[in-house]
Amino acid sequence: MITTCGSALRSLARALPGRHADPVLMFVEGAAGEGKSHLLQELAVLPGLPEPARLWWRCGAEGGPPEEGEHRREPALWLVDDAHRADEDELRRLRRVLEGLERGSAAVVTYRPEELAVPGLPLGGPPMTYPDRLAVLWSRLAPWDEERVRRAAAEALDESGCTAEAVARIHERTGGVPRVVVDLLAMVRGQWPAFTGTAAEVDAAGVPTRLAELVLSRTHALSPEHRPVVWAAAVLDGPVAREELIAVSGLGAATGNSALLRALECAALAEPAEGRYGFAVPLAASAVRATVPGPVRQDLHRRTANVLTRRHPVAWADVAEHHRAAGDGHRWLRAVEKAAGAAEASGRHQQAITLLERTLASPDLPPQARARLAPLLARNAVTGLRSDQTVEVLAQIVRDAALPPAVRGELRLDLGLMLCNQVGRFPEGWRVLETAAAELREVHSALAARAMAALVLPYQPGVSLDVHQGWLIKAMAAADDSGDEAMRTAVLANQVGLAMSWADPEAWELVEKLPVQSTDPACVRQAARGLCNAADSAVWLGFYGRVDDLLAQGRELSARTGAPYTEHSALGTLLLQAWWTGQWLGLAKRCEDFIAATADMPFIASDAYVVRGLLAVAQGDWGEAKSWLFQRGTFETERLPVPLGAAAAGAVIRLALARQEVTAAAEQARSAWQVVAEKGVWPWAAELAPWAVEALVRAGDSGTARTMVRSFAQGLGRCDAPAARAALVWSRAVLAEAEASTGERRGGLLEAATLYGKAAAAYAELPRPYSQALTMEGAARCVLAADTEGASPGPAPEAADSERASPGPAPEAETTDTAVPSPTPVSGAAVVSPTPVSDDAAATPTPVGGASAATTAALADLESCAQRFTDLGAVWDAARARALLRTRQPARKGRPPGRPSHADQLSPREEEVAQLAVSGLTNREIAATLHLSPRTVEQHIAGAMRKTGALSRRDLAHRPGPTS
């Protein structure tokens, strides 16, 4: 599969002479495996070259061509491979051929520079006397760059295996040598379990046989006294200075220098960079290291650790690994501790976590060492991004009865923080934190304050607001007793989060008290967390104008003090901000990228999952929406932080209502509402309330819906929560619209329209364009329904109740689309008027003569909503709004009877139906959205597939047809 570098091949082709031109000799130099022989093979069959005879000469293997072939008088292209293998006699014959090249002839001679008998002279010594008419050229093949390795990996591996991590590792370990790359890819491809694209899997694949045999044969060619210099290079595993290499070899200066020179002469070692010696292919070190006798290898590791300790700065992780390999357990653990401390100090928490996890997993680790290293692991895991293994390691360690109480309490504290903040196991984490607070109260007041402060944050379900406020009082007292300023800041940061969550009037003053100018990094790290907590709460409250500044400062301080967990949390807040403020362009990809980047920590990506699910609902991608909302099966909405769980539940309810699954929607509404009510942080009900009220009303439980709205209003009180106040008005509008069917219908609808209008105005001020469009659509829908009520007698109360209790598409008709005469809210259930809908109606409605000014304004608002939905990319909502518009459009005057002909083009309705079908909606769901019967939808899809040549519903997306 080796493909020669195109530039080298093109250079050779350009250099070859025409039939009557002077002869050309081209030397091609390349290390073993760089593709010299393959280049000759490609050159031999390259189209467009002159047509002289191709004559192969493989040096060392076949003795060259017959004697008579050396005296050809007609033009020929000599392809001479591996000149470094030729003996003296064969070189003399080759010289004669090259000196006697005729016009129109050429020769390409390849060789390995590291294996030439006389360095720099591919034809041996003395230097050849070239004829004046002979053009002599030289070219060197280069290893593949990372992009070329990526292309080779894409050919050899499937998409899941060709990751950037794997490509970078393959390039690094092979040095880009083509033959080694190809062989290693073949080994990786044959792994079981199947290769998934990690660097660890590349390392585990081993050394290709060709490379191992080459480097071991070259090593064996050295005398036994000189081989230790190659072994030293294998243990050092990277290019090093001569002095370090000789020191590790243990040979002494004189013998070491001689050994290095001999190793370079026989190509066992190379000089990859000036003054730095090692293997030409880094992967070769593993093959050599495996052949070194055990006691000798341990001595080499011991000397390597000593050499590395003299470097500045010291790579303590590498030193630790060499001490471990040398069998020196005491020095190994000391170096691990230093490595973890250095990584933590420089913000490289993940490196510290990986090293400490591996060390603590050792079965023979002394208890004293475990007590020293475990708190280091916990501290890094809480600040950084833990791996799944960390929680299990700490859970096992805290059960060790031999641990000192202070150490066990600290470990339990960090374990509880991880369970709550990074894993999402809230009940278990809460219990662990309560235990830690009790354990630490007498032995470490500052850490006790930290445990209590963790119990202040209100995001986990199942604990009421007053319980968190009680823990705040205890945490503040413990922090004051400790005298630790960083701990006081930690408590303040959580106090900010608590106060902001329920819109405490003093919350913004608390934000100003965060010590962002402190010179203590620990205080600044906690202040950064407080700023990000405030930004997250501001998003849920609706203070979008303040979020950017809070996040910018919080993220900058987090990056400066090394707090990746806080940085990732801030990225999630940015996604929520983009969703609510209508910045949807590219938002789906941002969510998916964030989820991919935190694949082994799905709870951290909860914001991204929910936003992606909300987008899928609006875009009509219902097949994917629920999967995203439930985090691809990793979390139920009930396990999410309360505000995020409420938002996800609201979307699930809306989806169920759109699918006419009213009973399931009502059950979800009751369950989700109970979580918010138990918590008592009422601003968090904003994303749930309108949909929960609608679900209960449509299920016939108006009493519980009214209680919800009343509790929501009482819970908010006078607090400053703009998003929640807009949602409260929206919820009242939904209730008024529903109750209009049981009282004075027209007056009730107009009252609902007024409330929807007020909600739309409130959302416009935030701004929240999607919510504004949904509520504006509700206002227009109620005005149009009231206009219909005023124009003709409405149904009897019993009939109206029956219609609301059983929403959905109208009974099928043979040729005319009909619908249910009931103004259903914007969850997506059918809304239709008594007027039939024509497929060729104009996009902009034309009110019937005599229509009121309110009706005309409502139609204009509805058109504006449809356009806003379209601009946002809310395909489903745009289709629903335009379907409602069409119910108010009269038939065109002067149009011939029957429907217009769209024999070769998609009609407007076919195009609309096809778009929703591509999104994943079923026929029934499309019918409910567009006020059509399922049979009519089926006919439109069949017509669209016929006209576009699509093979399936999804294939309609890839088969655009002409539209009218």
Side-chain angles (χ1 to χ4, degrees), residues 626 629-630 635-657 661-677 685 687-696 699 701 704 708:
K626 204 164 184 179
L629 292 169
F630 285 97
F635 281 91
E636 298 292 323
T637 57
E638 293 81 0
R639 289 183 58 196
L640 291 171
V642 175
L644 207 57
V652 171
I653 292 167
R654 187 183 180 200
L655 199 57
L657 289 173
E661 299 166 357
V662 177
T663 301
E667 290 175 357
Q668 178 77 39
R670 294 186 187 97
S671 173
W673 190 263
Q674 183 179 357
V675 173
V676 175
E687 311 312 315
L688 171 64
W691 311 115
V693 169
E694 180 181 342
L696 291 170
D701 191 0
T704 302
M708 272 187 184

Side-chain angles (χ1 to χ4, degrees), residues 939-951:
Q939 292 169 347
H940 284 316
I941 291 175
M945 290 174 64
R946 175 178 54 79
K947 293 175 183 179
T948 61
L951 302 178

